[in-house]
Amino acid sequence: MTIALSPHAPLSLIEVMQELISNLRPTSGASTPSYRRAVESDELWDGTRAIEAAQQRTYQHASAVDINGSRFGDFIPAVGVLSAQSTATDNPDYGMAALALAAENHDEQAFLAASAAIDWRRRDATDFLQAIQWALAAGAHRAASVLALRGAELHPDADKLLTAARVLAPQTTPAAYQSADSSVTLNRSWLKAHRQEYRGRWVALSGGNLLGNAITLEELTSRFGVNPQILYTRVF
Amino acid sequence: MLLQFSTREAFATGAVLYAYIPASEREETPRITIDIRIGDLQTSAFVDTGGIYLICPPEIASALNFDPDDALQSKQVLLRGEIVRGALYRVPLTILASEGETITIEATAFVPNAATTLSNFPCILGMYLCLERLRFAVDPLNEVFYFGEAA
């Protein structure tokens, strides 16, 4: 199979892959710091930068390619795969570096690809917690849930992971019901009638009656308390 | 009247009149706004089916005394195309009905730190880990929001 890459000369798919992988080699050699420095410092780790450059080149190639009947994207190695294939340094954590890069770029797709390349059974609780944070930064919210649940399952003694799993788990508790509340309609009618008058202010309403109004919610709750029968809302 | 499937199984178990109003002082675009309770605090929220979580402004969270020990603190969260800092909590969320039954479910609430644009809004009912638990329908002619448990 031959594909035409502009402005490059025609290359085979294997040549494209080799070129991309060859660009992953960091420039700083075996003393490259771990992925954690890439996240904690303003300076990107060279290896991370190399992966990012390769990813950008991949997108440039993909945007320029002209092939019939195939989706070039199906043949582009994900950043996690690319990072796993790099052998440039002695002991950096390429998998986590790829997650960090995806988080920094707010790239959900890259995060998912990098996460899929990691053997999570061998990861400790700290790695799970860090990956959850990066998932949230990448916009990979469902992946954050999956990581939290998986991490809590593998590390049941890690309190922070248990909290993450509880917060991000799918909703399973049965719903609870109460009878309808007529004050909802009464409060709504009051707001409709007085919207212009109290615009921008917080109001406290009960049964369609105004209890008070203030600039802040705190002023009202300190006067009337947190009571399920009182509606606190800002008027717009 | 609440909605039913052809089998007469209830689609919605509750309904409420919604307000079709802007969600902040800076906006004129109207949004579907209903009354909810988070824990014991009753307030207003607008529906955002393209959003995620229950977004809870810091002043509401402060009134409810959320315990930071129960939170997943986040350095960065990508929400509505914007990077924000805050904390995630699991909270009881009640959708108030004026007809049928009020319903309480669990939802994941994100509380942004004070200095974000999200803190200028009322509560926002997003889909993921919030509204996805419910069936819901909107009647724009009569401004009615119908809802029921999806499971």
Side-chain angles (χ1 to χ4, degrees):
Chain A
M1 175 184 172
T2 299
I3 51 178
L5 298 173
S6 174
H8 303 287
L11 294 171
S12 72
L13 180 60
I14 291 172
E15 287 171 319
V16 172
M17 304 281 263
Q18 286 172 337
E19 186 182 346
L20 290 173
I21 292 166
S22 71
N23 276 300
L24 291 176
R25 297 203 170 95
T27 54
S28 57
S31 62
T32 302
S34 74
Y35 71 89
R36 294 184 193 282
R37 291 196 196 170
V39 176
E40 290 166 3
S41 72
D42 292 335
E43 290 296 318
L44 281 177
W45 164 49
D46 285 348
T48 310
R49 191 179 294 124
I51 294 169
E52 188 174 33
Q55 190 181 26
Q56 286 173 352
R57 286 178 64 85
T58 302
Y59 290 143
Q60 285 166 2
H61 287 320
S63 63
V65 85
D66 179 19
I67 56 176
N68 295 320
S70 298
R71 288 172 53 208
F72 185 66
D74 294 344
F75 302 101
I76 300 172
V79 66
V81 177
L82 292 173
S83 62
Q85 290 172 354
S86 173
T87 56
T89 59
D90 53 358
N91 189 28
D93 190 335
Y94 293 107
M96 294 299 275
L99 295 184
L101 178 64
E104 191 169 298
N105 290 335
H106 314 306
D107 186 337
E108 180 177 7
Q109 196 174 8
F111 184 92
L112 296 176
S115 179
I118 292 174
D119 182 358
W120 288 104
R121 291 170 300 181
R122 298 181 178 186
R123 295 292 175 164
D124 61 20
T126 306
D127 282 352
F128 272 98
L129 283 165
Q130 181 62 81
I132 291 165
Q133 293 290 340
W134 282 333
L136 294 171
H141 297 277
R142 192 179 289 276
S145 294
V146 171
L147 284 166
L149 292 171
R150 187 86 192 276
E153 186 182 302
L154 291 171
H155 305 286
D157 297 331
D159 289 343
K160 286 186 176 178
L161 263 182
L162 296 180
T163 299
R166 188 174 52 76
V167 168
L168 294 172
Q171 300 141 299
T172 53
T173 307
Y177 296 91
Q178 291 175 287
S179 52
D181 186 346
S182 59
S183 68
V184 176
T185 305
L186 297 172
N187 290 338
R188 185 58 57 200
S189 298
W190 187 95
L191 285 165
K192 194 172 182 179
H194 298 89
R195 185 176 158 209
Q196 295 302 330
E197 197 177 340
Y198 291 93
R199 193 166 184 153
R201 294 184 69 81
W202 283 90
V203 294
L205 303 174
S206 181
N209 297 308
L210 178 69
L211 301 179
N213 72 94
I215 294 290
T216 65
L217 173 63
E218 190 179 7
E219 288 176 62
L220 290 177
T221 53
S222 62
R223 283 167 63 193
F224 305 111
V226 173
N227 180 332
Q229 302 307 318
I230 298 176
L231 169 67
Y232 292 104
T233 188
R234 210 164 160 201
V235 183
F236 296 116
Chain B
M1 179 180 157
L2 299 175
L3 306 178
Q4 293 181 333
F5 290 103
S6 57
T7 58
R8 299 206 171 190
E9 179 197 354
F11 172 89
T13 52
V16 66
L17 285 173
Y18 65 79
Y20 198 45
I21 54 174
S24 79
E25 285 175 286
R26 299 174 184 175
E27 294 188 356
E28 287 192 355
T29 307
R31 301 175 192 251
I32 293 172
T33 305
I34 60 176
D35 291 339
I36 62 166
R37 271 201 308 262
I38 304 170
D40 283 337
L41 186 86
Q42 191 183 150
T43 188
S44 302
F46 76 80
V47 176
D48 179 8
T49 57
I52 57 173
Y53 308 134
L54 162 66
I55 308 296
C56 183
E59 51 201 331
I60 299 272
S62 174
L64 284 163
N65 285 320
F66 283 166
D67 183 353
D69 288 341
D70 289 338
L72 173 61
Q73 301 290 340
S74 303
K75 292 171 186 168
Q76 291 189 327
V77 180
L78 185 61
L79 280 176
R80 302 168 73 85
E82 184 183 351
I83 285 291
V84 289
R85 290 167 182 263
L88 288 154
Y89 297 84
R90 193 71 155 195
V91 298
L93 168 68
T94 301
I95 311 283
L96 297 173
S98 53
E99 183 184 353
E101 291 179 310
T102 285
I103 190 169
T104 300
I105 59 172
E106 278 189 346
T108 297
F110 178 71
V111 181
N113 290 351
T116 73
T117 54
L118 285 174
S119 59
N120 296 323
F121 285 97
C123 292
I124 306 172
L125 297 166
M127 198 68 190
Y128 182 57
L129 295 182
C130 184
L131 285 178
E132 69 179 356
R133 180 68 187 280
L134 301 175
R135 289 175 180 143
F136 53 88
V138 171
D139 174 1
L141 192 64
N142 297 302
E143 298 193 340
V144 179
F145 183 81
Y146 295 91
F147 55 89
E149 190 177 14

